Short mmCIF file of all heavy atoms in Angstrom, two decimals:
data_model
loop_
_atom_site.label_atom_id
_atom_site.label_comp_id
_atom_site.label_asym_id
_atom_site.label_seq_id
_atom_site.Cartn_x
_atom_site.Cartn_y
_atom_site.Cartn_z
N LEU A 1134 0.83 -1.18 -0.02
CA LEU A 1134 -0.01 -0.02 -0.01
C LEU A 1134 0.86 1.26 -0.02
O LEU A 1134 1.76 1.40 0.83
CB LEU A 1134 -0.88 0.02 1.26
CG LEU A 1134 -1.75 1.27 1.45
CD1 LEU A 1134 -2.79 1.40 0.37
CD2 LEU A 1134 -2.40 1.20 2.82
N ASP A 1135 0.67 2.14 -0.99
CA ASP A 1135 1.34 3.38 -1.02
C ASP A 1135 0.85 4.22 0.19
O ASP A 1135 -0.31 4.58 0.29
CB ASP A 1135 1.02 4.18 -2.32
CG ASP A 1135 1.79 5.46 -2.39
OD1 ASP A 1135 2.23 5.99 -1.40
OD2 ASP A 1135 1.85 5.97 -3.52
N PRO A 1136 1.73 4.55 1.17
CA PRO A 1136 1.25 5.22 2.39
C PRO A 1136 0.62 6.60 2.07
O PRO A 1136 -0.16 7.05 2.88
CB PRO A 1136 2.56 5.34 3.19
CG PRO A 1136 3.68 5.21 2.24
CD PRO A 1136 3.19 4.28 1.16
N GLN A 1137 1.05 7.26 1.02
CA GLN A 1137 0.48 8.57 0.69
C GLN A 1137 -1.04 8.47 0.40
O GLN A 1137 -1.76 9.43 0.64
CB GLN A 1137 1.21 9.22 -0.47
CG GLN A 1137 2.65 9.53 -0.15
CD GLN A 1137 2.74 10.51 1.01
OE1 GLN A 1137 2.03 11.50 1.07
NE2 GLN A 1137 3.68 10.24 1.93
N SER A 1138 -1.44 7.34 -0.14
CA SER A 1138 -2.90 7.23 -0.48
C SER A 1138 -3.73 7.18 0.77
O SER A 1138 -4.91 7.51 0.74
CB SER A 1138 -3.14 5.98 -1.42
OG SER A 1138 -2.92 4.79 -0.67
N VAL A 1139 -3.16 6.72 1.86
CA VAL A 1139 -3.90 6.68 3.12
C VAL A 1139 -4.15 8.10 3.66
O VAL A 1139 -5.15 8.37 4.19
CB VAL A 1139 -3.14 5.84 4.21
CG1 VAL A 1139 -3.84 5.82 5.52
CG2 VAL A 1139 -2.92 4.43 3.67
N LEU A 1140 -3.21 8.97 3.39
CA LEU A 1140 -3.34 10.35 3.88
C LEU A 1140 -4.25 11.17 3.08
O LEU A 1140 -4.79 12.12 3.60
CB LEU A 1140 -1.91 11.01 3.89
CG LEU A 1140 -0.82 10.33 4.74
CD1 LEU A 1140 0.52 11.02 4.50
CD2 LEU A 1140 -1.22 10.35 6.20
N THR A 1141 -4.44 10.84 1.81
CA THR A 1141 -5.26 11.72 0.91
C THR A 1141 -6.67 11.18 0.67
O THR A 1141 -7.45 11.84 0.04
CB THR A 1141 -4.55 11.90 -0.43
OG1 THR A 1141 -4.31 10.58 -1.03
CG2 THR A 1141 -3.21 12.56 -0.21
N THR A 1142 -6.99 9.98 1.17
CA THR A 1142 -8.27 9.42 0.89
C THR A 1142 -9.09 9.27 2.19
O THR A 1142 -8.66 8.58 3.14
CB THR A 1142 -8.11 8.05 0.26
OG1 THR A 1142 -7.30 8.13 -0.88
CG2 THR A 1142 -9.49 7.43 -0.14
N ALA A 1143 -10.25 9.91 2.23
CA ALA A 1143 -11.13 9.80 3.34
C ALA A 1143 -12.41 9.04 2.92
O ALA A 1143 -13.05 9.42 1.95
CB ALA A 1143 -11.56 11.17 3.88
N ARG A 1144 -12.72 7.95 3.64
CA ARG A 1144 -13.89 7.17 3.29
C ARG A 1144 -14.83 7.09 4.46
O ARG A 1144 -15.02 6.04 5.07
CB ARG A 1144 -13.47 5.80 2.84
CG ARG A 1144 -12.66 5.73 1.58
CD ARG A 1144 -12.40 4.31 1.11
NE ARG A 1144 -11.88 3.51 2.20
CZ ARG A 1144 -12.35 2.28 2.53
NH1 ARG A 1144 -13.41 1.75 1.89
NH2 ARG A 1144 -11.79 1.62 3.50
N LEU A 1145 -15.39 8.21 4.88
CA LEU A 1145 -16.24 8.23 6.03
C LEU A 1145 -17.71 8.19 5.60
O LEU A 1145 -18.08 8.89 4.60
CB LEU A 1145 -16.03 9.51 6.88
CG LEU A 1145 -14.64 9.58 7.54
CD1 LEU A 1145 -14.54 10.89 8.31
CD2 LEU A 1145 -14.39 8.41 8.42
N SER A 1146 -18.50 7.42 6.25
CA SER A 1146 -19.92 7.35 5.92
C SER A 1146 -20.62 8.52 6.63
O SER A 1146 -20.02 9.21 7.53
CB SER A 1146 -20.55 6.02 6.45
OG SER A 1146 -20.47 5.99 7.87
N VAL A 1147 -21.85 8.76 6.29
CA VAL A 1147 -22.66 9.78 6.96
C VAL A 1147 -22.70 9.57 8.45
O VAL A 1147 -22.55 10.48 9.26
CB VAL A 1147 -24.07 9.88 6.37
CG1 VAL A 1147 -24.98 10.79 7.19
CG2 VAL A 1147 -24.02 10.41 4.96
N SER A 1148 -22.97 8.31 8.85
CA SER A 1148 -23.10 8.02 10.31
C SER A 1148 -21.76 8.26 11.04
O SER A 1148 -21.78 8.66 12.22
CB SER A 1148 -23.62 6.60 10.48
OG SER A 1148 -22.76 5.65 9.92
N GLU A 1149 -20.64 7.99 10.36
CA GLU A 1149 -19.37 8.24 11.02
C GLU A 1149 -19.13 9.73 11.18
O GLU A 1149 -18.61 10.15 12.23
CB GLU A 1149 -18.24 7.61 10.20
CG GLU A 1149 -18.23 6.07 10.28
CD GLU A 1149 -17.33 5.43 9.23
OE1 GLU A 1149 -17.04 6.03 8.20
OE2 GLU A 1149 -16.89 4.29 9.49
N VAL A 1150 -19.39 10.52 10.17
CA VAL A 1150 -19.24 11.98 10.28
C VAL A 1150 -20.23 12.52 11.34
O VAL A 1150 -19.89 13.34 12.16
CB VAL A 1150 -19.47 12.69 8.97
CG1 VAL A 1150 -19.42 14.20 9.11
CG2 VAL A 1150 -18.42 12.25 7.93
N PHE A 1151 -21.44 11.99 11.33
CA PHE A 1151 -22.47 12.40 12.30
C PHE A 1151 -22.01 12.08 13.70
O PHE A 1151 -22.17 12.89 14.62
CB PHE A 1151 -23.76 11.62 12.00
CG PHE A 1151 -24.92 11.96 12.90
CD1 PHE A 1151 -25.33 13.26 13.01
CD2 PHE A 1151 -25.60 10.98 13.55
CE1 PHE A 1151 -26.44 13.59 13.86
CE2 PHE A 1151 -26.67 11.25 14.36
CZ PHE A 1151 -27.10 12.59 14.51
N ALA A 1152 -21.41 10.94 13.89
CA ALA A 1152 -20.91 10.51 15.20
C ALA A 1152 -19.81 11.51 15.67
O ALA A 1152 -19.77 11.87 16.84
CB ALA A 1152 -20.34 9.09 15.20
N LEU A 1153 -18.92 11.86 14.77
CA LEU A 1153 -17.84 12.83 15.14
C LEU A 1153 -18.42 14.19 15.52
O LEU A 1153 -18.03 14.79 16.51
CB LEU A 1153 -16.88 12.96 13.98
CG LEU A 1153 -15.98 11.79 13.67
CD1 LEU A 1153 -15.23 11.99 12.35
CD2 LEU A 1153 -14.98 11.61 14.79
N ILE A 1154 -19.40 14.64 14.72
CA ILE A 1154 -19.95 15.97 15.00
C ILE A 1154 -20.71 16.02 16.31
O ILE A 1154 -20.52 16.94 17.11
CB ILE A 1154 -20.90 16.36 13.85
CG1 ILE A 1154 -20.12 16.65 12.58
CG2 ILE A 1154 -21.70 17.63 14.18
CD1 ILE A 1154 -20.93 16.93 11.34
N ILE A 1155 -21.53 15.01 16.56
CA ILE A 1155 -22.30 15.03 17.81
C ILE A 1155 -21.42 14.83 19.05
O ILE A 1155 -21.70 15.36 20.10
CB ILE A 1155 -23.48 14.02 17.82
CG1 ILE A 1155 -22.94 12.55 17.61
CG2 ILE A 1155 -24.47 14.34 16.71
CD1 ILE A 1155 -24.04 11.55 17.66
N SER A 1156 -20.30 14.07 18.87
CA SER A 1156 -19.37 13.91 19.98
C SER A 1156 -18.70 15.23 20.28
O SER A 1156 -18.55 15.61 21.47
CB SER A 1156 -18.32 12.83 19.59
OG SER A 1156 -18.94 11.58 19.44
N VAL A 1157 -18.23 15.92 19.26
CA VAL A 1157 -17.59 17.23 19.50
C VAL A 1157 -18.61 18.18 20.08
O VAL A 1157 -18.30 18.95 21.05
CB VAL A 1157 -17.01 17.78 18.16
CG1 VAL A 1157 -16.60 19.25 18.36
CG2 VAL A 1157 -15.80 16.93 17.72
N SER A 1158 -19.82 18.23 19.58
CA SER A 1158 -20.82 19.12 20.05
C SER A 1158 -21.20 18.85 21.49
O SER A 1158 -21.44 19.74 22.29
CB SER A 1158 -22.11 19.05 19.21
OG SER A 1158 -21.78 19.38 17.86
#
């Protein structure tokens, strides 16, 4: 695995982003 591709690719689902937002809030 090219390590740079890990840094530039985000594969978050809506529920994962939602979980992050509500946790921060």
Side-chain angles (χ1 to χ4, degrees):
L1134 175 66
D1135 183 342
Q1137 293 301 314
S1138 67
V1139 179
L1140 299 175
T1141 58
T1142 304
R1144 295 187 308 134
L1145 295 179
S1146 67
V1147 169
S1148 57
E1149 288 168 335
V1150 175
F1151 182 54
L1153 289 171
I1154 291 175
I1155 60 179
S1156 297
V1157 169
S1158 299

